[in-house]
Amino acid sequence: MEDIHPGSATSDDPLDISESLVPAREIKQAGQSYVSFDGLLQRPLLLKEDLKEGCGGQLWPAGMVLAKYMLRQHRFSLADKTILELGAGGGLVGLAVASGCEVGPPQIYITDQVPMLPLMKSNIALNNLSRKVKAAVLDWGTTLSDEIPRRPDVILAADCVYFEPAFPLLISTLRDLLGPDSVCYFCFKKRRRADLRFLKLAKRAFQVTEIDDDPEAGTYKRENINLYTIRSKPGTGHHCIDGRDTA
């Protein structure tokens, strides 16, 4: 999938936790990559990869799958939409959408934790997308800051399922962000049985549907990568008060 290969673990993980919680991943050296998404972008993205602040600084397979899906199937359906990427790392998916889809005038927000902020800003600048894309900090499970748009139309999330203790935090943030008309495009690689627990949590909280209009699905499903939409359940009656949902 365009120079992205899952592989072995590293002993330099910033969190000292067992392999049963965090699956093995191939770690690449810091550098820059040109990514055209199999020619879906006329002008390839130039993406800096840097793992010194964590694994989010590398490109991962689900991000490639989600970006290509958005470029193929939603190239002309995102104009005037408020778009936010969760767990963006270097910003692969949000930057691909900004570069190859008809978007705006609202900016696209790519979000992650504080350590990823310089990398996100660097990749925005490298691709001259500062007019279209804004980097912001969003810690899952915490109250949304004022710079995060409430109830964005489209939420993008790729490879956000890898650290089991963070599952409830991600569910909480999705509750805060999903409005009655919002849709989250959610893609992840199932690496271990614990990942299915996230799906169970999500299906209890939201309307989760596997996407069936992607012509490449047969290819990436063989690599245990799946793509879903996540929406609020009809009639759940969620309201946002100070960044928290109440029923």
Side-chain angles (χ1 to χ4, degrees):
M1 228 172 293
E2 202 162 354
D3 299 323
I4 304 295
H5 305 284
S8 61
T10 177
S11 59
D12 297 323
D13 284 335
L15 299 174
D16 184 15
I17 51 184
S18 72
E19 186 65 22
S20 64
L21 292 179
V22 173
R25 290 181 165 201
E26 177 185 344
I27 302 299
K28 299 194 297 187
Q29 296 297 316
Q32 293 183 343
S33 300
Y34 281 95
V35 189
S36 70
F37 304 98
D38 297 336
L40 289 170
L41 288 183
Q42 291 184 348
R43 179 184 176 185
L45 289 179
L46 174 58
L47 293 167
K48 181 180 178 182
E49 297 182 75
D50 190 347
L51 290 156
K52 68 182 179 182
E53 300 294 350
C55 61
Q58 181 172 323
L59 308 184
W60 296 106
M64 300 294 293
V65 168
L66 180 54
K68 287 197 282 187
Y69 172 76
M70 299 304 293
L71 290 169
R72 277 195 305 267
Q73 305 298 106
H74 293 280
R75 188 179 292 268
F76 305 109
S77 64
L78 301 175
D80 301 318
K81 303 290 188 184
T82 303
I83 301 170
L84 181 144
E85 183 180 2
L86 285 175
L92 172 73
V93 182
L95 293 173
V97 168
S99 183
C101 298
E102 288 189 3
V103 295
Q107 282 188 306
I108 294 174
Y109 290 77
I110 58 174
T111 71
D112 210 309
Q113 295 181 305
V114 169
M116 291 292 109
L117 190 60
L119 183 61
M120 291 189 290
K121 288 182 174 181
S122 177
N123 282 334
I124 290 171
L126 281 172
N127 292 280
N128 298 312
L129 289 171
S130 59
R131 291 185 179 181
K132 290 185 176 182
V133 185
K134 177 180 175 61
V137 173
L138 197 165
D139 290 314
W140 300 345
T142 64
T143 301
L144 299 177
S145 70
D146 290 339
E147 67 176 331
I148 300 298
R150 298 309 195 262
R151 303 303 197 236
D153 299 298
V154 176
I155 301 166
L156 306 169
D159 260 323
C160 289
V161 178
Y162 59 91
F163 182 41
E164 190 172 1
F167 290 176
L169 306 180
L170 179 53
I171 294 290
S172 174
T173 290
L174 284 171
R175 282 187 182 275
D176 285 345
L177 290 171
L178 283 168
D181 300 315
S182 303
V183 57
C184 174
Y185 296 98
F186 195 97
C187 188
F188 73 100
K189 180 179 175 70
K190 297 174 186 174
R191 296 179 172 89
R192 65 241 153 88
R193 285 180 295 177
D195 293 345
L196 297 177
R197 179 172 170 266
F198 175 82
L199 268 185
K200 290 180 180 179
L201 290 172
K203 287 178 178 179
R204 283 203 293 266
F206 311 111
Q207 181 179 325
V208 180
T209 305
E210 188 164 6
I211 285 174
D212 61 5
D213 66 343
D214 191 344
E216 284 200 358
T219 299
Y220 57 72
K221 282 184 178 181
R222 288 195 291 271
E223 299 181 33
N224 290 323
I225 297 173
N226 289 87
L227 183 55
Y228 302 89
T229 58
I230 299 178
R231 294 179 169 89
S232 293
K233 286 185 177 180
T236 52
H238 289 301
H239 303 280
C240 186
I241 300 176
D242 294 332
R244 297 179 179 274
D245 273 348
T246 60

